[in-house]
Amino acid sequence: MYIKKDLRKRIDELNNFVDTFSNTKEFYDFIETKKIYIALKEDNNYICSRCDSHFKSKKKINQYDICPNCNQKLLLKRTINCEIKDYVMYLIKYGKDFIIRNYEVYSYYSQRKMKHIVTEYARQVISKDGTLGLKIMINNMRRNTAGYWYINYLEKTEYWKPEYYISTFGSVFVDKNVLTSRYWNPKELLDNAEVNICDIIKGIFKEDYTLELLVKSKLYNLAAQYYEFKKGSFDKVFGLDRSYLLFMIENNITYEELEVLKKIKIKDINLIRYLSRVFILTELLKYCKPYDLMKYKVAAKDSFLFRDYLAMANKLNYNMNDKKVLYPKNLKKSHDQVQNLLKMKKDKKLNKKIRERFNQIEKNKYSDNKYCIFPAMNIEQLYDESAQQNNCVKTYAERIAEGSCDIYFMRLNESKDKSLVTIEVRENKIVQKRTKNNERTTESQDRFLKLWENKILKGIC
Ligand SMILES: [Zn+2]
């Protein structure tokens, strides 16, 4: 790759600085906590992949437990096919600026042991105003066909290249006194929340008061999104009264969780976390109670389909307090059922109006020795005409019902059930006349229609 000379120089400077930097013991301790160890299930026992001891656990597969022998936190697994990647950042000082060092911690199981590969794959210069300068990535970082980055461990790290987009969100480690603020401790925030480090650095150096306040209140996850909050009283800032504060702190609630808490006002973090995974929650809460939604396992369902079902059931005057109505066993089936019912109800109404219109214009029926013409009487006839003629006249039902047009069928006297010409009339004038496949009418058909229009519709001769 061709890289301009001064850019190459800046990359070398950055790399020289980082390569001669001594990572602290605290940083290595932090990385240790990101390495995953599994416990493999064999018969009824789990085997610790760190110390080989056997133990029993009441936890489920894919949950964590602690090894009673070596105290390691262990991910419980049934198979050895496990590859877990975690991403962390190390923030260090770089003159007046900072460097974000992006790491991948790769954990995998091999020969009855967990192995770990820790790779520093990117370096980004960030200024005090939160803007990024030089961003570089190692050459064995590759993008797969789906667009995701991965490290090709078979390839050697040979050089660093500039890269447009590198993550700045996640878990950030910073050594003591590297990032400071006059009134609060930024390290406290980074130790307790995943953040977009650009936002946080920007907030620290412009001494953002909301950020300070949220960290001091120990609402770390909310502090990560401090820019979402307006200044004001507690109620105004959070949309809740003060009685919720302790609950919010104890659970270090996130912005998404706060949004749910505001809607349901129930201090149950499991319920809140569950519902924070549900789309269009507000609309579902119009009909459903929060605990019932969790019981119904709504997060695993199509919430838009569910929303539509509820709205239609309500329209049909179903009892919206009946749990059998609210939480159908087969959502798709029930959805389609109410949809059909609603359509039938609507058709019935339309049909009544079309019939009324038919009674008014039935007098316009006409025939000569070859052709006859008569108005549409109901929706079924429109559907039949549409199917026979391959046109869209079936979509005219509402227009007929509201009186903005009339539809007539012109046919041969000898076969009155077979479609021939479909006619649209507005204000006693033919505005459309179509034969099968929207083809044009013949001269003979036109003569008949002209006569009918003049004699019957306009009453001229
Ligand atoms: Zn162990």
Side-chain angles (χ1 to χ4, degrees):
M1 185 194 285
Y2 173 76
I3 297 171
K4 275 193 209 153
K5 247 188 188 168
D6 64 322
L7 180 58
R8 189 75 262 171
K9 212 177 123 198
R10 281 165 61 213
I11 293 175
D12 289 344
E13 272 172 18
L14 174 61
N15 284 338
N16 281 338
F17 182 87
V18 176
D19 293 341
T20 55
F21 181 89
S22 330
N23 295 356
T24 60
K25 182 186 170 295
E26 285 75 20
F27 172 68
Y28 287 118
D29 290 346
F30 168 77
I31 287 288
E32 278 308 307
T33 66
K34 299 292 172 185
K35 293 179 178 173
I36 306 285
Y37 289 86
I38 64 163
L40 202 62
K41 192 169 190 178
E42 272 187 25
D43 302 324
N44 276 322
N45 283 320
Y46 284 98
I47 307 160
C48 173
S49 63
R50 196 170 190 205
C51 71
D52 270 338
S53 70
H54 292 224
F55 65 97
K56 287 198 192 303
S57 172
K58 281 178 183 155
K59 297 275 169 62
K60 289 178 190 157
I61 295 291
N62 286 329
Q63 288 186 331
Y64 284 93
D65 206 349
I66 306 286
C67 172
N69 184 46
C70 71
N71 276 328
Q72 175 65 46
K73 187 178 161 195
L74 299 166
L75 181 61
L76 305 183
K77 283 279 175 188
R78 192 176 278 124
T79 63
I80 57 167
N81 297 324
C82 86
E83 279 194 323
I84 301 147
K85 291 174 180 176
D86 201 353
Y87 297 90
V88 296
M89 288 170 269
Y90 186 17
L91 189 75
I92 63 171
K93 250 194 133 34
Y94 185 50
K96 278 188 294 175
D97 299 328
F98 296 90
I99 299 169
I100 304 168
R101 301 167 63 185
N102 294 70
Y103 283 81
E104 181 182 276
V105 182
Y106 175 37
S107 307
Y108 65 102
Y109 187 85
S110 170
Q111 294 163 337
R112 301 189 72 81
K113 282 272 173 274
M114 286 308 284
K115 306 257 166 85
H116 304 96
I117 303 174
V118 179
T119 313
E120 183 179 4
Y121 68 89
R123 294 166 176 173
Q124 310 179 70
V125 178
I126 180 167
S127 332
K128 285 179 175 179
D129 62 1
T131 56
L132 294 166
L134 187 59
K135 294 172 276 184
I136 58 173
M137 200 179 248
I138 54 169
N139 68 302
N140 61 343
M141 195 69 166
R142 295 256 170 266
R143 220 191 260 272
N144 68 14
T145 46
Y148 292 109
W149 292 104
Y150 70 97
I151 294 173
N152 183 348
Y153 288 103
L154 302 172
E155 214 175 319
K156 259 195 186 162
T157 311
E158 276 160 352
Y159 60 92
W160 293 74
K161 57 189 179 169
E163 181 56 50
Y164 182 70
Y165 177 76
I166 303 168
S167 174
T168 55
F169 178 84
S171 179
V172 182
F173 183 84
V174 65
D175 288 305
K176 257 180 215 151
N177 302 323
V178 168
L179 199 56
T180 53
S181 166
R182 250 191 292 179
Y183 306 105
W184 58 285
N185 180 10
K187 183 166 169 56
E188 186 186 332
L189 168 61
L190 300 183
D191 287 348
N192 287 290
E194 295 198 339
V195 299
N196 184 336
I197 191 64
C198 297
D199 295 334
I200 300 306
I201 287 184
K202 185 177 163 191
I204 289 168
F205 286 98
K206 66 169 199 189
E207 299 197 333
D208 188 283
Y209 183 61
T210 312
L211 176 60
E212 178 190 332
L213 212 65
L214 288 166
V215 175
K216 280 182 171 170
S217 309
K218 302 193 183 301
L219 292 164
Y220 304 113
N221 280 324
L222 294 183
Q225 274 167 276
Y226 66 94
Y227 44 85
E228 298 278 5
F229 297 93
K230 291 188 189 86
K231 279 182 195 164
S233 64
F234 189 94
D235 310 42
K236 263 198 186 148
V237 174
F238 298 110
L240 289 163
D241 67 64
R242 273 196 169 269
S243 68
Y244 291 91
L245 180 60
L246 192 64
F247 173 78
M248 286 158 64
I249 294 169
E250 279 172 353
N251 294 291
N252 189 8
I253 71 163
T254 65
Y255 189 74
E256 288 70 31
E257 289 160 7
L258 176 65
E259 288 298 304
V260 176
L261 178 61
K262 278 195 309 207
K263 283 170 196 156
I264 66 171
K265 299 207 163 63
I266 300 172
K267 294 177 195 170
D268 178 340
I269 196 64
N270 290 326
L271 177 67
I272 289 170
R273 289 193 178 137
Y274 183 83
L275 293 180
S276 68
R277 289 159 51 202
V278 179
F279 291 114
I280 51 170
L281 180 63
T282 315
E283 292 184 50
L284 302 184
L285 287 171
K286 265 192 249 168
Y287 303 104
C288 306
K289 295 204 171 76
Y291 280 109
D292 292 342
L293 283 172
M294 184 158 77
K295 213 172 144 198
Y296 190 50
K297 298 195 168 107
V298 70
K301 295 186 163 69
D302 179 343
S303 47
F304 293 95
L305 190 80
F306 187 38
R307 184 260 324 260
D308 292 347
Y309 163 76
L310 291 169
M312 290 189 291
N314 187 44
K315 235 182 182 173
L316 285 166
N317 290 324
Y318 281 16
N319 179 3
M320 301 308 277
N321 294 314
D322 184 349
K323 288 193 182 180
K324 279 194 199 119
V325 171
L326 288 175
Y327 309 106
K329 272 191 186 138
N330 186 333
L331 176 60
K332 179 79 178 82
K333 205 174 141 194
S334 301
H335 169 274
D336 293 353
Q337 261 168 13
V338 291
Q339 195 173 41
N340 281 335
L341 270 171
L342 213 57
K343 192 180 170 300
M344 270 164 59
K345 228 180 146 182
K346 200 175 142 202
D347 282 0
K348 219 173 153 187
K349 250 182 167 171
L350 275 180
N351 254 341
K352 205 178 151 217
K353 287 195 172 164
I354 293 171
R355 179 75 203 204
E356 281 167 18
R357 182 65 190 157
F358 173 82
N359 290 337
Q360 289 168 13
I361 58 176
E362 197 188 357
K363 59 180 181 351
N364 296 338
K365 271 182 178 175
Y366 182 70
S367 60
D368 66 5
N369 51 9
K370 190 174 180 189
Y371 302 112
C372 63
I373 186 163
F374 53 91
M377 193 164 63
N378 53 41
I379 295 180
E380 286 69 40
Q381 282 187 350
L382 291 171
Y383 269 81
D384 176 53
E385 181 82 356
S386 260
Q388 289 199 53
Q389 298 280 74
N390 194 21
N391 65 22
C392 63
V393 73
K394 66 181 176 192
T395 64
Y396 278 61
E398 278 176 53
R399 275 170 269 186
I400 300 171
E402 71 193 18
S404 64
C405 77
D406 293 314
I407 296 294
Y408 290 84
F409 306 133
M410 169 180 166
R411 291 175 183 177
L412 286 167
N413 284 328
E414 63 205 34
S415 51
K416 282 187 181 167
D417 291 333
K418 193 170 176 293
S419 297
L420 185 66
V421 187
T422 314
I423 297 116
E424 181 190 350
V425 170
R426 281 173 190 251
E427 292 168 358
N428 296 325
K429 261 184 80 178
I430 295 173
V431 293
Q432 271 201 82
K433 45 186 178 178
R434 295 294 165 93
T435 59
K436 194 169 180 172
N437 297 320
N438 287 321
E439 296 283 346
R440 297 176 62 148
T441 42
T442 65
E443 258 179 53
S444 150
Q445 292 164 350
D446 280 345
R447 262 198 308 277
F448 174 81
L449 285 171
K450 195 74 207 163
L451 185 73
W452 173 69
E453 184 180 35
N454 282 335
K455 193 169 167 182
I456 306 295
L457 297 183
K458 297 182 178 163
I460 294 174
C461 47

